[in-house]
Amino acid sequence: MDRQTETDQFSQNDDQLSSALNQKITYLNDLNDSVKNGDDLKIYELMDPNRFATELKGEDSDQPKASFFGLASDLNAQLSHHLSDKLIDYLGATYPFFYYHEYELGKFNVYFGNWWDHRLFGQLDPINVRFDFAEDEYDKLSQSFSLETDNKRVNDDEMRQLAEKNEYLTKLIQDQDKRDQRKEAIRQQLKENEEKSPMPWEAGKVKEERQRLNDEMLELTKTDEQATNGRSTIKQNENEILVLSKEETILSLEKQNIRATFGSFEAFIDNNNHLYTKYLQSLDKESQVSDGE
């Protein structure tokens, strides 16, 4: 290889390097301009051009577009905070029963309810335009919808079991006098048993009777202990039933809100699954309106 050829190759490499660097510089400038101009639609395209093309434009994904978002991926929190403004405005109209709180820069809790009466339901991801619902809360809501067909509620079984326990404990407390009378009768029988002077062949029978009476006395004593602790246990169970009943009320209100907004739980799920596309379509319409003015 002659010197001229080597020089040409090095020059070609420098040109490629310069071109690659210019692409990255252009990308960051475009991202910066989009942030300054409040062009969230363009920001989403720059962050994930392939998803943007597929889900918003309906383009073929067989030819992936170059993505440079890695250059700004350390700014996720700041971008998430920036993108949340318009997104939460949109969600406020689409999901009027949700309330959002930014507990850390770019990180948002989602609450079902409003600012004064709500429960944590998951998180909002503005970068990917999606809800990350708390699995246990979401499953409970889903189960509540499913059980409606059988006229059942999520906490019915647990509340029934607690009520049955309270009914049992209440009866134990009410039967205290009967147990006291029975214990007194057993004491008298034990006294008579101890005073017996059985014949050798009757000794085993007398001993068995004494053991039976002692066993019954032990069982009555155990029942007394249950009854003694019964009142506090009944109170605990009543409080638990109250909590479960309140949860059922909340679930009922949540279902009403979802039906009032989406018509059905299935429609709610479908909207969640296509939230990215629906939101970017709304941004696109706004952009077209602005361009037409």
Side-chain angles (χ1 to χ4, degrees), residues 172 175-176 179-180 183 187 217-230:
L172 289 187
D175 288 348
Q176 185 64 57
R179 286 195 303 277
D180 289 343
K183 284 186 290 183
R187 292 188 189 97
M217 179 66 82
L218 180 60
E219 286 302 313
L220 288 169
T221 303
K222 288 180 180 179
T223 303
D224 284 346
E225 291 177 359
Q226 279 187 281
T228 299
N229 299 323

Side-chain angles (χ1 to χ4, degrees), residues 1-13:
M1 182 182 297
D2 58 34
R3 189 174 187 81
Q4 182 60 45
T5 302
E6 273 188 355
T7 301
D8 291 343
Q9 286 183 343
F10 287 144
S11 177
Q12 184 179 11
N13 179 73

Side-chain angles (χ1 to χ4, degrees), residues 223-277:
T223 303
D224 284 346
E225 291 177 359
Q226 279 187 281
T228 299
N229 299 323
R231 286 184 174 81
S232 61
T233 303
I234 288 172
K235 186 63 178 176
Q236 290 173 6
N237 290 343
E238 287 176 344
N239 289 337
E240 182 61 23
I241 290 172
L242 193 62
V243 170
L244 294 172
S245 178
K246 182 179 179 181
E247 184 174 67
E248 287 297 345
T249 301
I250 292 172
L251 285 169
S252 178
L253 291 172
E254 290 174 353
K255 288 186 294 184
Q256 287 178 24
N257 282 321
I258 287 174
R259 285 198 174 100
T261 304
F262 294 100
S264 68
F265 188 56
E266 290 72 22
F268 169 72
I269 294 172
D270 182 73
N271 204 84
N272 300 337
N273 292 338
H274 297 91
L275 185 57
Y276 176 89
T277 302

Side-chain angles (χ1 to χ4, degrees), residues 180-193:
D180 289 343
Q181 291 172 10
R182 180 54 189 160
K183 284 186 290 183
E184 187 58 36
I186 291 173
R187 292 188 189 97
Q188 185 61 35
Q189 288 176 290
L190 283 170
K191 181 180 179 182
E192 293 172 359
N193 180 279

Side-chain angles (χ1 to χ4, degrees), residues 114-228:
N114 50 45
W115 67 269
W116 57 270
D117 185 17
H118 54 257
R119 67 170 172 166
L120 184 62
F121 203 70
Q123 292 194 319
L124 172 66
D125 180 354
I127 296 289
N128 294 294
V129 193
R130 72 178 180 219
F131 292 115
D132 294 322
F133 293 131
E135 188 174 346
D136 55 342
E137 297 296 340
Y138 184 83
D139 288 348
K140 199 177 296 181
L141 180 62
S142 176
Q143 185 184 4
S144 184
F145 272 105
S146 299
L147 288 172
E148 279 184 338
T149 56
D150 297 323
N151 198 28
K152 293 182 178 179
R153 300 181 302 173
V154 173
N155 296 311
D156 277 350
D157 289 343
E158 189 173 355
M159 286 193 291
R160 185 182 64 254
Q161 291 170 5
L162 289 168
E164 288 174 352
K165 288 179 182 177
N166 279 0
E167 186 177 346
Y168 168 75
L169 290 171
T170 299
K171 190 173 188 314
L172 289 187
I173 294 170
Q174 293 173 343
D175 288 348
Q176 185 64 57
D177 289 343
K178 293 179 182 180
R179 286 195 303 277
D180 289 343
Q181 291 172 10
R182 180 54 189 160
K183 284 186 290 183
E184 187 58 36
I186 291 173
R187 292 188 189 97
Q188 185 61 35
Q189 288 176 290
L190 283 170
K191 181 180 179 182
E192 293 172 359
N193 180 279
E194 291 170 358
E195 291 174 350
K196 287 180 180 179
S197 299
M199 299 301 289
W201 58 83
E202 295 178 328
K205 186 177 180 180
V206 172
K207 184 177 180 181
E208 286 178 6
E209 182 187 18
R210 185 185 308 122
Q211 184 61 50
R212 179 184 62 78
L213 291 169
N214 281 324
D215 289 344
E216 186 178 355
M217 179 66 82
L218 180 60
E219 286 302 313
L220 288 169
T221 303
K222 288 180 180 179
T223 303
D224 284 346
E225 291 177 359
Q226 279 187 281
T228 299

